[in-house]
mmCIF file of all heavy atoms in Angstrom:
data_model
loop_
_atom_site.group_PDB
_atom_site.id
_atom_site.type_symbol
_atom_site.label_atom_id
_atom_site.label_comp_id
_atom_site.label_asym_id
_atom_site.label_seq_id
_atom_site.Cartn_x
_atom_site.Cartn_y
_atom_site.Cartn_z
ATOM 1 N N LEU A 1 11.336 11.837 -19.307
ATOM 2 C CA LEU A 1 12.687 12.274 -19.621
ATOM 3 C C LEU A 1 12.956 13.612 -18.944
ATOM 4 O O LEU A 1 12.183 14.561 -19.101
ATOM 5 C CB LEU A 1 12.859 12.408 -21.137
ATOM 6 C CG LEU A 1 14.169 13.023 -21.627
ATOM 7 C CD1 LEU A 1 15.341 12.117 -21.296
ATOM 8 C CD2 LEU A 1 14.092 13.291 -23.121
ATOM 9 N N VAL A 2 14.054 13.675 -18.190
ATOM 10 C CA VAL A 2 14.441 14.904 -17.512
ATOM 11 C C VAL A 2 15.940 15.127 -17.697
ATOM 12 O O VAL A 2 16.666 14.243 -18.142
ATOM 13 C CB VAL A 2 14.101 14.875 -16.011
ATOM 14 C CG1 VAL A 2 12.595 14.781 -15.800
ATOM 15 C CG2 VAL A 2 14.806 13.716 -15.325
ATOM 16 N N HIS A 3 16.396 16.319 -17.328
ATOM 17 C CA HIS A 3 17.809 16.665 -17.419
ATOM 18 C C HIS A 3 18.489 16.511 -16.064
ATOM 19 O O HIS A 3 17.837 16.572 -15.024
ATOM 20 C CB HIS A 3 17.970 18.101 -17.908
ATOM 21 C CG HIS A 3 17.337 18.359 -19.243
ATOM 22 N ND1 HIS A 3 17.642 17.610 -20.361
ATOM 23 C CD2 HIS A 3 16.416 19.275 -19.626
ATOM 24 C CE1 HIS A 3 16.940 18.067 -21.381
ATOM 25 N NE2 HIS A 3 16.190 19.072 -20.968
ATOM 26 N N PRO A 4 19.809 16.320 -16.050
ATOM 27 C CA PRO A 4 20.523 16.255 -14.773
ATOM 28 C C PRO A 4 20.238 17.476 -13.913
ATOM 29 O O PRO A 4 20.218 18.602 -14.404
ATOM 30 C CB PRO A 4 21.996 16.195 -15.197
ATOM 31 C CG PRO A 4 21.966 15.557 -16.539
ATOM 32 C CD PRO A 4 20.715 16.085 -17.196
ATOM 33 N N GLY A 5 20.010 17.231 -12.632
ATOM 34 C CA GLY A 5 19.688 18.294 -11.705
ATOM 35 C C GLY A 5 18.207 18.551 -11.539
ATOM 36 O O GLY A 5 17.805 19.245 -10.601
ATOM 37 N N ASP A 6 17.403 18.004 -12.422
ATOM 38 C CA ASP A 6 15.955 18.192 -12.344
ATOM 39 C C ASP A 6 15.348 17.367 -11.216
ATOM 40 O O ASP A 6 16.000 16.507 -10.626
ATOM 41 C CB ASP A 6 15.301 17.800 -13.662
ATOM 42 C CG ASP A 6 15.502 18.818 -14.757
ATOM 43 O OD1 ASP A 6 16.043 19.907 -14.485
ATOM 44 O OD2 ASP A 6 15.118 18.526 -15.907
ATOM 45 N N SER A 7 14.083 17.634 -10.942
ATOM 46 C CA SER A 7 13.323 16.899 -9.946
ATOM 47 C C SER A 7 12.125 16.227 -10.587
ATOM 48 O O SER A 7 11.644 16.651 -11.647
ATOM 49 C CB SER A 7 12.848 17.831 -8.826
ATOM 50 O OG SER A 7 13.934 18.361 -8.105
ATOM 51 N N LEU A 8 11.640 15.200 -9.923
ATOM 52 C CA LEU A 8 10.524 14.425 -10.431
ATOM 53 C C LEU A 8 9.778 13.826 -9.251
ATOM 54 O O LEU A 8 10.388 13.511 -8.229
ATOM 55 C CB LEU A 8 11.047 13.313 -11.340
ATOM 56 C CG LEU A 8 10.141 12.695 -12.406
ATOM 57 C CD1 LEU A 8 9.637 13.757 -13.366
ATOM 58 C CD2 LEU A 8 10.928 11.632 -13.159
ATOM 59 N N ARG A 9 8.481 13.673 -9.380
ATOM 60 C CA ARG A 9 7.690 13.011 -8.354
ATOM 61 C C ARG A 9 6.929 11.848 -8.966
ATOM 62 O O ARG A 9 6.128 12.043 -9.881
ATOM 63 C CB ARG A 9 6.703 13.969 -7.703
ATOM 64 C CG ARG A 9 6.078 13.405 -6.425
ATOM 65 C CD ARG A 9 4.976 14.301 -5.892
ATOM 66 N NE ARG A 9 4.721 14.038 -4.481
ATOM 67 C CZ ARG A 9 3.649 14.463 -3.820
ATOM 68 N NH1 ARG A 9 2.735 15.202 -4.434
ATOM 69 N NH2 ARG A 9 3.513 14.174 -2.538
ATOM 70 N N LEU A 10 7.192 10.661 -8.449
ATOM 71 C CA LEU A 10 6.504 9.467 -8.891
ATOM 72 C C LEU A 10 5.373 9.142 -7.930
ATOM 73 O O LEU A 10 5.492 9.352 -6.723
ATOM 74 C CB LEU A 10 7.465 8.280 -8.968
ATOM 75 C CG LEU A 10 8.740 8.478 -9.793
ATOM 76 C CD1 LEU A 10 9.555 7.188 -9.792
ATOM 77 C CD2 LEU A 10 8.414 8.919 -11.212
ATOM 78 N N SER A 11 4.292 8.610 -8.466
ATOM 79 C CA SER A 11 3.148 8.214 -7.660
ATOM 80 C C SER A 11 2.854 6.738 -7.863
ATOM 81 O O SER A 11 3.097 6.192 -8.938
ATOM 82 C CB SER A 11 1.912 9.033 -8.031
ATOM 83 O OG SER A 11 2.101 10.404 -7.769
ATOM 84 N N CYS A 12 2.325 6.115 -6.835
ATOM 85 C CA CYS A 12 1.905 4.715 -6.890
ATOM 86 C C CYS A 12 0.515 4.629 -6.296
ATOM 87 O O CYS A 12 0.334 4.800 -5.086
ATOM 88 C CB CYS A 12 2.879 3.829 -6.123
ATOM 89 S SG CYS A 12 2.342 2.105 -5.961
ATOM 90 N N SER A 13 -0.462 4.376 -7.144
ATOM 91 C CA SER A 13 -1.843 4.251 -6.716
ATOM 92 C C SER A 13 -2.157 2.782 -6.456
ATOM 93 O O SER A 13 -1.960 1.939 -7.336
ATOM 94 C CB SER A 13 -2.779 4.817 -7.787
ATOM 95 O OG SER A 13 -4.129 4.654 -7.414
ATOM 96 N N ALA A 14 -2.644 2.479 -5.255
ATOM 97 C CA ALA A 14 -2.911 1.100 -4.858
ATOM 98 C C ALA A 14 -4.404 0.861 -4.691
ATOM 99 O O ALA A 14 -5.145 1.728 -4.226
ATOM 100 C CB ALA A 14 -2.192 0.775 -3.556
ATOM 101 N N SER A 15 -4.825 -0.339 -5.050
ATOM 102 C CA SER A 15 -6.213 -0.736 -4.867
ATOM 103 C C SER A 15 -6.275 -2.235 -4.607
ATOM 104 O O SER A 15 -5.341 -2.971 -4.926
ATOM 105 C CB SER A 15 -7.060 -0.370 -6.090
ATOM 106 O OG SER A 15 -6.579 -1.024 -7.254
ATOM 107 N N GLY A 16 -7.373 -2.682 -4.009
ATOM 108 C CA GLY A 16 -7.561 -4.095 -3.759
ATOM 109 C C GLY A 16 -6.851 -4.632 -2.536
ATOM 110 O O GLY A 16 -6.754 -5.848 -2.358
ATOM 111 N N LEU A 17 -6.358 -3.758 -1.688
ATOM 112 C CA LEU A 17 -5.667 -4.170 -0.467
ATOM 113 C C LEU A 17 -5.941 -3.167 0.640
ATOM 114 O O LEU A 17 -6.363 -2.039 0.372
ATOM 115 C CB LEU A 17 -4.162 -4.320 -0.709
ATOM 116 C CG LEU A 17 -3.287 -3.054 -0.772
ATOM 117 C CD1 LEU A 17 -1.819 -3.442 -0.818
ATOM 118 C CD2 LEU A 17 -3.643 -2.162 -1.939
ATOM 119 N N ILE A 18 -5.717 -3.605 1.877
ATOM 120 C CA ILE A 18 -5.820 -2.692 3.007
ATOM 121 C C ILE A 18 -4.508 -1.927 3.056
ATOM 122 O O ILE A 18 -3.511 -2.397 3.600
ATOM 123 C CB ILE A 18 -6.093 -3.447 4.312
ATOM 124 C CG1 ILE A 18 -7.363 -4.290 4.190
ATOM 125 C CG2 ILE A 18 -6.223 -2.469 5.478
ATOM 126 C CD1 ILE A 18 -7.639 -5.172 5.379
ATOM 127 N N PHE A 19 -4.514 -0.757 2.479
ATOM 128 C CA PHE A 19 -3.295 -0.011 2.234
ATOM 129 C C PHE A 19 -2.437 0.215 3.480
ATOM 130 O O PHE A 19 -1.223 -0.018 3.443
ATOM 131 C CB PHE A 19 -3.634 1.306 1.538
ATOM 132 C CG PHE A 19 -2.454 2.065 1.021
ATOM 133 C CD1 PHE A 19 -1.700 1.579 -0.028
ATOM 134 C CD2 PHE A 19 -2.099 3.279 1.592
ATOM 135 C CE1 PHE A 19 -0.611 2.280 -0.508
ATOM 136 C CE2 PHE A 19 -1.017 3.994 1.117
ATOM 137 C CZ PHE A 19 -0.268 3.490 0.059
ATOM 138 N N PRO A 20 -3.003 0.663 4.611
ATOM 139 C CA PRO A 20 -2.170 0.910 5.798
ATOM 140 C C PRO A 20 -1.555 -0.348 6.398
ATOM 141 O O PRO A 20 -0.652 -0.226 7.227
ATOM 142 C CB PRO A 20 -3.142 1.557 6.798
ATOM 143 C CG PRO A 20 -4.275 2.059 5.976
ATOM 144 C CD PRO A 20 -4.408 1.061 4.871
ATOM 145 N N SER A 21 -2.021 -1.525 6.003
ATOM 146 C CA SER A 21 -1.467 -2.778 6.507
ATOM 147 C C SER A 21 -0.316 -3.296 5.651
ATOM 148 O O SER A 21 0.127 -4.431 5.839
ATOM 149 C CB SER A 21 -2.564 -3.840 6.591
ATOM 150 O OG SER A 21 -3.567 -3.470 7.524
ATOM 151 N N HIS A 22 0.152 -2.480 4.736
ATOM 152 C CA HIS A 22 1.233 -2.874 3.848
ATOM 153 C C HIS A 22 2.377 -1.870 3.876
ATOM 154 O O HIS A 22 2.154 -0.657 3.854
ATOM 155 C CB HIS A 22 0.724 -2.987 2.410
ATOM 156 C CG HIS A 22 -0.135 -4.181 2.173
ATOM 157 N ND1 HIS A 22 -1.424 -4.267 2.644
ATOM 158 C CD2 HIS A 22 0.122 -5.346 1.519
ATOM 159 C CE1 HIS A 22 -1.937 -5.429 2.291
ATOM 160 N NE2 HIS A 22 -1.028 -6.099 1.611
ATOM 161 N N VAL A 23 3.580 -2.401 3.965
ATOM 162 C CA VAL A 23 4.767 -1.597 3.703
ATOM 163 C C VAL A 23 4.807 -1.298 2.210
ATOM 164 O O VAL A 23 4.531 -2.169 1.387
ATOM 165 C CB VAL A 23 6.044 -2.344 4.134
ATOM 166 C CG1 VAL A 23 7.294 -1.665 3.571
ATOM 167 C CG2 VAL A 23 6.118 -2.425 5.651
ATOM 168 N N MET A 24 5.132 -0.071 1.872
ATOM 169 C CA MET A 24 5.280 0.311 0.473
ATOM 170 C C MET A 24 6.755 0.561 0.176
ATOM 171 O O MET A 24 7.461 1.179 0.975
ATOM 172 C CB MET A 24 4.470 1.555 0.155
ATOM 173 C CG MET A 24 2.969 1.402 0.389
ATOM 174 S SD MET A 24 2.232 0.061 -0.590
ATOM 175 C CE MET A 24 2.553 0.651 -2.264
ATOM 176 N N GLY A 25 7.185 0.075 -0.960
ATOM 177 C CA GLY A 25 8.578 0.235 -1.346
ATOM 178 C C GLY A 25 8.725 0.696 -2.782
ATOM 179 O O GLY A 25 7.807 0.551 -3.598
ATOM 180 N N TRP A 26 9.873 1.271 -3.054
ATOM 181 C CA TRP A 26 10.245 1.636 -4.413
ATOM 182 C C TRP A 26 11.549 0.936 -4.764
ATOM 183 O O TRP A 26 12.501 0.935 -3.972
ATOM 184 C CB TRP A 26 10.421 3.146 -4.570
ATOM 185 C CG TRP A 26 9.135 3.918 -4.597
ATOM 186 C CD1 TRP A 26 8.526 4.536 -3.556
ATOM 187 C CD2 TRP A 26 8.318 4.163 -5.748
ATOM 188 N NE1 TRP A 26 7.374 5.154 -3.972
ATOM 189 C CE2 TRP A 26 7.219 4.939 -5.317
ATOM 190 C CE3 TRP A 26 8.403 3.809 -7.099
ATOM 191 C CZ2 TRP A 26 6.208 5.364 -6.187
ATOM 192 C CZ3 TRP A 26 7.403 4.225 -7.962
ATOM 193 C CH2 TRP A 26 6.327 4.991 -7.499
ATOM 194 N N PHE A 27 11.585 0.345 -5.942
ATOM 195 C CA PHE A 27 12.772 -0.292 -6.488
ATOM 196 C C PHE A 27 13.022 0.272 -7.876
ATOM 197 O O PHE A 27 12.129 0.864 -8.488
ATOM 198 C CB PHE A 27 12.597 -1.812 -6.571
ATOM 199 C CG PHE A 27 12.492 -2.492 -5.238
ATOM 200 C CD1 PHE A 27 11.309 -2.459 -4.509
ATOM 201 C CD2 PHE A 27 13.578 -3.165 -4.703
ATOM 202 C CE1 PHE A 27 11.209 -3.081 -3.280
ATOM 203 C CE2 PHE A 27 13.492 -3.803 -3.473
ATOM 204 C CZ PHE A 27 12.307 -3.755 -2.760
ATOM 205 N N ARG A 28 14.227 0.079 -8.363
ATOM 206 C CA ARG A 28 14.521 0.497 -9.725
ATOM 207 C C ARG A 28 15.405 -0.536 -10.402
ATOM 208 O O ARG A 28 16.142 -1.271 -9.755
ATOM 209 C CB ARG A 28 15.185 1.873 -9.760
ATOM 210 C CG ARG A 28 16.579 1.930 -9.146
ATOM 211 C CD ARG A 28 17.079 3.372 -9.104
ATOM 212 N NE ARG A 28 18.441 3.465 -8.609
ATOM 213 C CZ ARG A 28 19.084 4.614 -8.410
ATOM 214 N NH1 ARG A 28 18.471 5.768 -8.673
ATOM 215 N NH2 ARG A 28 20.327 4.605 -7.945
ATOM 216 N N GLN A 29 15.316 -0.579 -11.716
ATOM 217 C CA GLN A 29 16.098 -1.524 -12.490
ATOM 218 C C GLN A 29 16.548 -0.871 -13.787
ATOM 219 O O GLN A 29 15.722 -0.488 -14.616
ATOM 220 C CB GLN A 29 15.293 -2.790 -12.781
ATOM 221 C CG GLN A 29 16.105 -3.916 -13.389
ATOM 222 C CD GLN A 29 15.388 -5.253 -13.312
ATOM 223 O OE1 GLN A 29 14.180 -5.316 -13.092
ATOM 224 N NE2 GLN A 29 16.123 -6.333 -13.485
ATOM 225 N N ALA A 30 17.850 -0.748 -13.933
ATOM 226 C CA ALA A 30 18.439 -0.214 -15.148
ATOM 227 C C ALA A 30 18.705 -1.360 -16.118
ATOM 228 O O ALA A 30 18.829 -2.519 -15.709
ATOM 229 C CB ALA A 30 19.732 0.528 -14.829
ATOM 230 N N PRO A 31 18.810 -1.070 -17.412
ATOM 231 C CA PRO A 31 19.070 -2.128 -18.392
ATOM 232 C C PRO A 31 20.327 -2.926 -18.067
ATOM 233 O O PRO A 31 21.376 -2.351 -17.788
ATOM 234 C CB PRO A 31 19.238 -1.354 -19.702
ATOM 235 C CG PRO A 31 18.441 -0.107 -19.509
ATOM 236 C CD PRO A 31 18.630 0.242 -18.057
ATOM 237 N N GLY A 32 20.200 -4.248 -18.070
ATOM 238 C CA GLY A 32 21.332 -5.114 -17.804
ATOM 239 C C GLY A 32 21.719 -5.235 -16.349
ATOM 240 O O GLY A 32 22.726 -5.879 -16.034
ATOM 241 N N LYS A 33 20.952 -4.647 -15.446
ATOM 242 C CA LYS A 33 21.253 -4.695 -14.028
ATOM 243 C C LYS A 33 20.111 -5.344 -13.256
ATOM 244 O O LYS A 33 18.989 -5.452 -13.748
ATOM 245 C CB LYS A 33 21.518 -3.288 -13.484
ATOM 246 C CG LYS A 33 22.687 -2.581 -14.144
ATOM 247 C CD LYS A 33 22.940 -1.227 -13.526
ATOM 248 C CE LYS A 33 23.455 -1.342 -12.108
ATOM 249 N NZ LYS A 33 23.773 -0.009 -11.518
ATOM 250 N N THR A 34 20.411 -5.768 -12.043
ATOM 251 C CA THR A 34 19.403 -6.373 -11.189
ATOM 252 C C THR A 34 18.547 -5.298 -10.528
ATOM 253 O O THR A 34 18.914 -4.124 -10.489
ATOM 254 C CB THR A 34 20.046 -7.251 -10.110
ATOM 255 O OG1 THR A 34 20.963 -6.468 -9.339
ATOM 256 C CG2 THR A 34 20.800 -8.414 -10.734
ATOM 257 N N ARG A 35 17.415 -5.719 -10.012
ATOM 258 C CA ARG A 35 16.517 -4.797 -9.348
ATOM 259 C C ARG A 35 17.144 -4.294 -8.048
ATOM 260 O O ARG A 35 17.629 -5.082 -7.234
ATOM 261 C CB ARG A 35 15.181 -5.474 -9.080
ATOM 262 C CG ARG A 35 14.079 -4.516 -8.663
ATOM 263 C CD ARG A 35 12.708 -5.141 -8.886
ATOM 264 N NE ARG A 35 12.472 -5.453 -10.288
ATOM 265 C CZ ARG A 35 11.315 -5.879 -10.772
ATOM 266 N NH1 ARG A 35 10.275 -6.056 -9.959
ATOM 267 N NH2 ARG A 35 11.191 -6.153 -12.052
ATOM 268 N N GLU A 36 17.101 -2.997 -7.845
ATOM 269 C CA GLU A 36 17.784 -2.343 -6.742
ATOM 270 C C GLU A 36 16.790 -1.664 -5.815
ATOM 271 O O GLU A 36 15.891 -0.947 -6.260
ATOM 272 C CB GLU A 36 18.774 -1.308 -7.294
ATOM 273 C CG GLU A 36 19.478 -0.465 -6.244
ATOM 274 C CD GLU A 36 20.253 0.699 -6.840
ATOM 275 O OE1 GLU A 36 19.948 1.087 -7.991
ATOM 276 O OE2 GLU A 36 21.160 1.214 -6.167
ATOM 277 N N PHE A 37 16.971 -1.871 -4.523
ATOM 278 C CA PHE A 37 16.138 -1.201 -3.531
ATOM 279 C C PHE A 37 16.406 0.291 -3.533
ATOM 280 O O PHE A 37 17.552 0.732 -3.582
ATOM 281 C CB PHE A 37 16.426 -1.774 -2.140
ATOM 282 C CG PHE A 37 15.776 -1.000 -1.025
ATOM 283 C CD1 PHE A 37 14.426 -1.138 -0.757
ATOM 284 C CD2 PHE A 37 16.523 -0.139 -0.240
ATOM 285 C CE1 PHE A 37 13.820 -0.425 0.272
ATOM 286 C CE2 PHE A 37 15.941 0.576 0.791
ATOM 287 C CZ PHE A 37 14.585 0.432 1.042
ATOM 288 N N VAL A 38 15.335 1.068 -3.449
ATOM 289 C CA VAL A 38 15.448 2.521 -3.403
ATOM 290 C C VAL A 38 14.979 3.066 -2.059
ATOM 291 O O VAL A 38 15.706 3.790 -1.384
ATOM 292 C CB VAL A 38 14.659 3.186 -4.543
ATOM 293 C CG1 VAL A 38 14.702 4.708 -4.406
ATOM 294 C CG2 VAL A 38 15.210 2.754 -5.896
ATOM 295 N N ALA A 39 13.753 2.718 -1.668
ATOM 296 C CA ALA A 39 13.194 3.252 -0.433
ATOM 297 C C ALA A 39 11.984 2.440 -0.011
ATOM 298 O O ALA A 39 11.346 1.777 -0.830
ATOM 299 C CB ALA A 39 12.805 4.726 -0.602
ATOM 300 N N ALA A 40 11.666 2.499 1.276
ATOM 301 C CA ALA A 40 10.477 1.844 1.803
ATOM 302 C C ALA A 40 9.905 2.690 2.927
ATOM 303 O O ALA A 40 10.616 3.468 3.570
ATOM 304 C CB ALA A 40 10.794 0.437 2.300
ATOM 305 N N ILE A 41 8.612 2.506 3.189
ATOM 306 C CA ILE A 41 7.928 3.272 4.224
ATOM 307 C C ILE A 41 6.937 2.365 4.933
ATOM 308 O O ILE A 41 6.289 1.523 4.310
ATOM 309 C CB ILE A 41 7.244 4.517 3.617
ATOM 310 C CG1 ILE A 41 6.685 5.422 4.710
ATOM 311 C CG2 ILE A 41 6.159 4.114 2.616
ATOM 312 C CD1 ILE A 41 6.285 6.806 4.184
ATOM 313 N N ASN A 42 6.817 2.521 6.242
ATOM 314 C CA ASN A 42 5.934 1.667 7.014
ATOM 315 C C ASN A 42 4.477 2.068 6.844
ATOM 316 O O ASN A 42 4.144 3.044 6.170
ATOM 317 C CB ASN A 42 6.344 1.659 8.497
ATOM 318 C CG ASN A 42 6.005 2.957 9.207
ATOM 319 O OD1 ASN A 42 5.924 4.012 8.603
ATOM 320 N ND2 ASN A 42 5.802 2.869 10.517
ATOM 321 N N GLY A 43 3.594 1.297 7.464
ATOM 322 C CA GLY A 43 2.164 1.466 7.258
ATOM 323 C C GLY A 43 1.627 2.838 7.603
ATOM 324 O O GLY A 43 0.780 3.374 6.885
ATOM 325 N N ARG A 44 2.109 3.405 8.694
ATOM 326 C CA ARG A 44 1.627 4.715 9.135
ATOM 327 C C ARG A 44 2.404 5.877 8.525
ATOM 328 O O ARG A 44 2.024 7.034 8.723
ATOM 329 C CB ARG A 44 1.684 4.811 10.652
ATOM 330 C CG ARG A 44 0.715 3.889 11.370
ATOM 331 C CD ARG A 44 0.690 4.175 12.851
ATOM 332 N NE ARG A 44 -0.285 3.353 13.552
ATOM 333 C CZ ARG A 44 -0.592 3.474 14.825
ATOM 334 N NH1 ARG A 44 0.007 4.408 15.558
ATOM 335 N NH2 ARG A 44 -1.492 2.677 15.375
ATOM 336 N N GLY A 45 3.469 5.569 7.821
ATOM 337 C CA GLY A 45 4.282 6.618 7.235
ATOM 338 C C GLY A 45 5.209 7.301 8.214
ATOM 339 O O GLY A 45 5.731 8.386 7.925
ATOM 340 N N SER A 46 5.435 6.677 9.362
ATOM 341 C CA SER A 46 6.254 7.282 10.406
ATOM 342 C C SER A 46 7.722 6.876 10.338
ATOM 343 O O SER A 46 8.565 7.515 10.969
ATOM 344 C CB SER A 46 5.692 6.932 11.783
ATOM 345 O OG SER A 46 5.570 5.531 11.947
ATOM 346 N N ASN A 47 8.027 5.820 9.608
ATOM 347 C CA ASN A 47 9.397 5.350 9.464
ATOM 348 C C ASN A 47 9.709 5.100 7.995
ATOM 349 O O ASN A 47 8.856 4.614 7.245
ATOM 350 C CB ASN A 47 9.628 4.060 10.249
ATOM 351 C CG ASN A 47 9.612 4.273 11.740
ATOM 352 O OD1 ASN A 47 10.252 5.192 12.253
ATOM 353 N ND2 ASN A 47 8.890 3.418 12.444
ATOM 354 N N THR A 48 10.931 5.414 7.611
ATOM 355 C CA THR A 48 11.370 5.185 6.240
ATOM 356 C C THR A 48 12.752 4.560 6.227
ATOM 357 O O THR A 48 13.516 4.661 7.184
ATOM 358 C CB THR A 48 11.398 6.480 5.419
ATOM 359 O OG1 THR A 48 12.356 7.388 5.990
ATOM 360 C CG2 THR A 48 10.034 7.146 5.394
#
């Protein structure tokens, strides 16, 4: 829980896969709404 204007950092720890061979993405879903794309990053982290 945060207040408007605040900042937050989310982390995603991955295991069981070759991490650099996977695109990583973030999605979000609010109550009563469909899942929404937020951001994605390529394997090397050079493109977003």
Side-chain angles (χ1 to χ4, degrees):
L1 173 66
V2 296
H3 302 305
D6 285 353
S7 295
L8 203 58
R9 193 187 200 194
L10 307 182
S11 297
C12 173
S13 178
S15 60
L17 78 172
I18 303 174
F19 190 68
S21 296
H22 287 73
V23 167
M24 300 301 298
W26 286 96
F27 294 78
R28 66 186 184 184
Q29 189 164 17
K33 300 183 68 177
T34 57
R35 192 160 299 187
E36 175 190 20
F37 171 77
V38 175
I41 188 167
N42 73 333
R44 293 188 177 186
S46 55
N47 290 313
T48 63

